[in-house]
Amino acid sequence: MAKAENEQNDLFARRMELYQKIESVTNIPWYYLAAVDQYERNVRQSRKDLPKAEGITGIYFPPEKWVGIMNPNPTDENPLSIEFFDGIGADGDGDNKASLKNDADVLYTYARHVLNYGTDHDNIKLALWDYYQRDKTVSIIVGKAKIYKHFGHLNLESHAFPVPIRSNHSYKNTWGDARGWGGRRTHEGTDIFASYGVPVRATSYGIVEMKGWNKYGGWRVGIRDINNNYHYFAHLNGFSKDLHIGQVVEPGQLIGSVGSSGYGPPGTSGKFPPHLHYGMYKDNGRTEWSFDPYPHLRLWERQERQRTK
């Protein structure tokens, strides 16, 4: 356990060193570079049509785009010939090579794209949209950058159980069960039963993407974490004071309380026993889908019990 933790901390330190190095030569804030890198790493982990990252960075460039589509040498690392064939690969560490296997070269090449627009927030957003052509991707990356900037470091992997461990609660795996209200549909989450007013807490480091009413979920909150996961909290009795869209949160932070809201127009409640509906969704750069949160809840509950012993 200690060895794995040390290895992870070393990886975070190496990434941060690289981000700050590229920042020093481009003036692009490190947290934007970290956000793009983390976004692409998460996408590659969740898709089968992209190769897994081999280095410490996650940004992917197709080889033909790197060397130039007309380049007869698909593994070309010469910056001059790559430029001649309109490839985008660039030398990021001064070794006179532009290698897809070199993390500094890859990150610097992406940074050069951003530099075509500028280094302030609005121009970076334009650069992101031009590169990905997807509003949701831009929103996710900008959110990640805000999270990294807020905390000032990369190690944002810890979690908390959504209700206090010592509260009177119960839950079982209900993901995929049939639901009838509002038409035939499947249950995309785990129901955690608890009394009215039991605190509901953020389960991860993240940013509040959504807050408000839904006829199915009642008062609900959506939080996007650093790994492209969307955490959905529904049927709340109310929200914590000053909670707002765009707010950065951390594990264990109060966001609301357990209720029985939903299944009707705004203000409807009491149509079912009080409980928290907790769902998790993954974005892979193209679409977003629900996955079973139950194993994660069990793990986070066990980890939190161990920490509080």
Side-chain angles (χ1 to χ4, degrees):
M1 181 73 72
K3 181 180 178 182
E5 186 174 341
N6 289 335
E7 289 177 349
Q8 187 179 53
N9 289 335
D10 178 65
L11 180 59
F12 288 137
R14 291 167 60 199
R15 284 177 182 158
M16 179 63 88
E17 181 181 9
L18 178 58
Y19 300 150
Q20 292 177 334
K21 176 183 176 181
I22 300 301
E23 177 186 42
S24 69
V25 297
T26 64
N27 290 320
I28 300 170
W30 69 266
Y31 41 86
Y32 286 107
L33 299 171
V36 169
D37 188 35
Q38 180 71 354
Y39 173 81
E40 293 231 358
R41 181 179 301 106
N42 295 147
V43 165
R44 293 175 74 170
Q45 288 171 348
S46 60
R47 278 178 35 191
K48 295 181 179 180
D49 62 323
L50 297 174
K52 304 308 177 187
E54 297 180 356
I56 65 171
T57 56
I59 297 173
Y60 173 70
F61 291 109
E64 64 274 12
K65 186 175 182 180
W66 182 269
V67 302
I69 195 168
M70 300 300 293
N71 194 328
N73 181 5
T75 61
D76 193 1
E77 295 184 349
N78 186 322
L80 295 178
S81 56
I82 287 175
E83 183 179 9
F84 178 80
F85 286 105
D86 294 322
I88 64 171
D91 176 15
D93 60 1
D95 66 354
N96 295 316
K97 292 182 179 180
S99 173
L100 269 173
K101 298 180 179 180
N102 184 302
D103 293 301
D105 293 350
V106 169
L107 191 60
Y108 177 67
T109 296
Y110 192 97
R112 289 211 312 174
H113 164 75
V114 176
L115 284 176
N116 289 327
Y117 295 80
T119 59
D120 62 282
H121 177 75
D122 289 341
N123 280 314
I124 289 175
K125 286 182 66 176
L126 287 174
L128 293 173
W129 194 91
D130 182 65
Y131 191 84
Y132 295 104
Q133 301 282 303
R134 183 176 183 247
D135 289 338
K136 188 166 188 176
T137 293
V138 175
S139 175
I140 291 174
I141 292 174
V142 169
K144 288 180 188 290
K146 188 174 182 179
I147 297 168
Y148 282 132
K149 181 181 180 181
H150 180 87
F151 292 105
H153 61 86
L154 302 176
N155 190 356
L156 304 173
E157 301 293 335
S158 61
H159 294 87
F161 194 67
V163 298
I165 293 298
R166 290 184 173 84
S167 65
N168 184 14
H169 64 272
S170 64
Y171 66 104
K172 61 181 181 179
N173 194 348
T174 56
W175 189 78
D177 288 356
R179 287 292 184 269
W181 195 88
R184 291 180 60 85
R185 54 198 176 91
T186 59
H187 191 233
E188 296 183 345
T190 294
D191 289 335
I192 302 174
F193 289 88
S195 300
Y196 283 107
V198 168
V200 172
R201 312 178 303 170
T203 52
S204 63
Y205 292 96
I207 189 166
V208 177
E209 278 194 1
M210 178 272 294
K211 172 194 171 187
W213 178 268
N214 175 276
K215 65 180 179 179
Y216 298 110
W219 300 116
R220 79 268 199 260
V221 174
I223 296 174
R224 179 80 56 182
D225 72 14
I226 210 72
N227 293 309
N228 290 13
N229 297 314
Y230 181 77
H231 303 254
Y232 180 68
F233 306 77
H235 305 316
L236 300 178
N237 194 46
F239 307 111
S240 64
K241 184 180 180 181
D242 298 328
L243 186 75
H244 60 273
I245 293 174
Q247 179 178 344
V248 174
V249 297
E250 59 185 292
Q253 183 171 333
L254 181 68
I255 61 172
S257 60
V258 172
S260 61
S261 61
Y263 285 16
T268 304
S269 64
K271 290 193 172 183
F272 44 79
H275 68 277
L276 169 68
H277 170 95
Y278 181 78
M280 293 181 71
Y281 299 79
K282 169 71 76 174
D283 185 273
N284 69 357
R286 291 177 175 170
T287 187
E288 189 167 71
W289 71 93
S290 169
F291 63 95
D292 188 0
Y294 181 78
H296 301 274
L297 291 168
R298 295 285 291 178
L299 173 63
W300 301 339
E301 184 179 30
R302 184 168 64 250
Q303 290 174 337
E304 192 162 344
R305 290 191 186 281
Q306 291 173 345
R307 290 195 298 267
T308 56
K309 282 184 178 179

